[in-house]
Amino acid sequence: APAAPPAEPGRPAPPVAGDATGWTMNERLYNQVWGMFEDLARSTAAYRSAVDFAESRLERELDKALSDPRTRVGPAADAAREEARAKRADLVDQARAVLDRDLAQLVAESEVVEHALPPAFARWDSPVWQGFQMPLETPMALRIGDLHLPERPDLRIPMLVRLPLERGLWIDSGRASAREAGLVDSAELRRRAMETAVAQAARLLAVYPVGDFSLHVIDPAGAAGTALAPLLGSGALRDAPAAGAKGVSETLQRLTRRVDLVQMAVRSGAVDSLPPDLDTAEQLLIVNDFPHGFDDRAVTQLRYLADEGPAVGVHLMMVADREDARAYGPVLDPLWRALLRITPLPDDHLADPWVGHAWTYEPSLAPAGSEVLRQVLHQVGQARRAYGI
């Protein structure tokens, strides 16, 4: 790992990108990001715990002062209450000072680390995309958004998930709980959800070696044409989106067959005997407007892909409003639970595994007016054509 420059007397050592354990720079950066995530969670938990303690002590001291009729009113009572409030303010100020110190260190580390992240981990506005070239190996993880807490909203921690994806993604196009959701109508939410799906798919296509990742889209009503234009225009999406009930059925049947064949080949140790026409690359299926265009058989196949697909390289990304599928009742509960829910607008629905904070998730999107997404997809399409894919 790179060595940190010496610190000034009385100050912490300046942060260094890659200052974590790991065999490669990318692994060290991945571990460093998770370390920042854990440090922020624990520092915030300590601050909130101190504030809760200060509030509970204030309540106890006020109750004690009010319980004695002799000290309930008058100068002595006023002095007791002021003293209790002063103690509370002092504790909170001390806790906030400690938190601000930790946050300042994390902000400095975040700025250093952000500039060193590779394309798979970087924001879309990172300079690393300007010199982007198709990779020769699959990265260990993928950035799907940013996370932050209300104590310091500008401190964004990259949300990284390991590759290959162990769970599918559900981009919730329904009504969110965030304040911004009240200003956006249903049609705009669905449009933003599909844009989020395209951004996630574009990053996946960009960070996998050429030919190692394939994309399929089910858009039964053809409602996502505008959002899918960058994928189709660049050639990154080879086949037109499947439309109508027939398109839904054919696509699901093809991917279900692939899962079945690969599972049987792996279990029998006969991977070399797979049919020559079978695409062995990682597959991503984007489903828009579920359950529109799905019958009971198609729903069963989709659940099968969500459960069995990731282990053999078939991954699912659903753009859906759960309310649209309420007619199925609890039958679809296992499907929703099997997918990682993310949102097209900032929303505080994710909890960390250490202290259970409610983290606000924000999707990773290209800046407004930027052409970076189209440029990257153009390079992906050129590379695929050069390889005859």
Side-chain angles (χ1 to χ4, degrees):
E8 297 179 13
R11 287 174 166 257
V16 175
D19 188 14
T21 58
W23 292 103
T24 65
M25 185 60 172
N26 286 355
E27 185 179 356
R28 293 196 294 269
L29 287 169
Y30 174 84
N31 290 333
Q32 188 171 12
V33 167
W34 270 96
M36 293 162 54
F37 183 34
E38 183 174 357
D39 288 346
L40 179 55
R42 297 194 186 283
S43 294
T44 305
Y47 168 72
R48 293 179 180 179
S49 177
V51 171
D52 289 343
F53 171 76
E55 294 289 351
S56 63
R57 193 175 75 169
L58 174 62
E59 290 180 8
R60 288 198 305 271
E61 293 183 351
L62 291 177
D63 289 342
K64 182 180 178 181
L66 294 173
S67 63
D68 189 346
R70 294 171 298 178
T71 60
R72 190 172 298 163
V73 293
D78 293 340
R81 284 192 286 267
E82 287 301 320
E83 182 182 1
R85 293 190 182 99
K87 289 180 181 179
R88 181 258 181 202
D90 185 53
L91 278 176
V92 171
D93 289 344
Q94 290 181 36
R96 186 71 211 195
V98 173
L99 177 65
D100 288 342
R101 181 200 64 197
D102 293 344
L103 291 179
Q105 185 71 8
L106 282 170
V107 167
E109 186 175 8
S110 175
E111 291 174 352
V112 171
V113 170
E114 192 68 56
H115 290 294
L117 295 178
F121 301 174
R123 294 194 304 245
W124 281 111
D125 60 356
S126 170
V128 74
W129 290 107
Q130 304 307 316
F132 170 75
Q133 293 182 342
M134 293 299 296
L136 298 178
E137 58 182 21
T138 304
M140 65 181 300
L142 184 83
R143 185 178 193 153
I144 62 170
D146 294 330
L147 299 169
H148 68 267
L149 291 172
E151 282 77 6
R152 189 66 187 263
D154 62 320
L155 175 54
R156 306 298 176 89
I157 305 296
M159 183 177 177
L160 304 179
V161 295
R162 294 298 296 262
L163 291 179
L165 295 172
E166 297 177 356
R167 298 173 65 188
L169 298 178
W170 165 31
I171 302 173
D172 190 353
S173 60
R175 182 61 57 187
S177 59
R179 288 181 299 174
E180 293 88 342
L183 306 175
V184 179
D185 62 19
S186 176
E188 178 66 9
L189 270 175
R190 293 175 187 271
R191 185 189 68 80
R192 293 195 185 188
M194 198 61 205
E195 285 184 351
T196 302
V198 169
Q200 305 289 3
R203 188 183 291 263
L204 281 164
L205 288 166
V207 303
Y208 270 84
V210 181
D212 285 5
F213 196 85
S214 297
L215 179 63
H216 312 272
V217 178
I218 289 178
D219 185 23
T226 302
L228 293 171
L231 292 171
L232 289 167
S234 64
L237 176 59
R238 182 180 57 186
D239 300 322
K246 182 180 179 182
V248 171
S249 176
E250 290 176 351
T251 302
L252 292 176
Q253 185 173 354
R254 184 169 65 251
L255 290 175
T256 301
R257 172 179 175 269
R258 183 197 180 282
V259 171
D260 289 339
L261 290 176
V262 175
Q263 278 185 337
M264 288 188 292
V266 170
R267 289 169 183 166
S268 61
V271 178
D272 294 338
S273 64
L274 287 169
D277 64 332
L278 188 74
D279 185 1
T280 56
E282 297 280 318
Q283 313 280 314
L284 175 67
L285 172 63
I286 299 178
V287 178
N288 186 38
D289 276 348
F290 175 82
H292 184 80
F294 281 72
D295 55 20
D296 289 345
R297 183 170 183 272
V299 169
T300 300
Q301 289 176 320
L302 191 69
R303 289 180 55 187
Y304 176 74
L305 291 178
D307 292 338
E308 304 294 333
V312 290
V314 177
H315 311 284
L316 180 62
M317 184 186 297
M318 284 179 53
V319 180
D321 180 356
R322 191 168 182 173
E323 281 298 304
D324 292 343
R326 63 182 180 275
Y328 287 93
V331 172
L332 288 182
D333 285 352
L335 173 63
W336 304 117
R337 287 195 298 267
L339 304 173
L340 174 61
R341 176 179 176 256
I342 60 178
T343 53
L345 295 175
D347 192 66
D348 58 348
H349 67 281
L350 292 175
D352 63 73
W354 303 291
V355 291
H357 291 320
W359 292 76
T360 296
Y361 166 84
E362 191 166 345
S364 181
L365 301 174
S370 172
E371 289 294 316
V372 62
L373 190 70
R374 292 182 182 273
Q375 291 169 0
V376 169
L377 286 174
H378 177 70
Q379 288 182 261
V380 171
Q382 279 189 323
R384 292 174 67 88
R385 286 190 292 272
Y387 277 77
I389 300 174

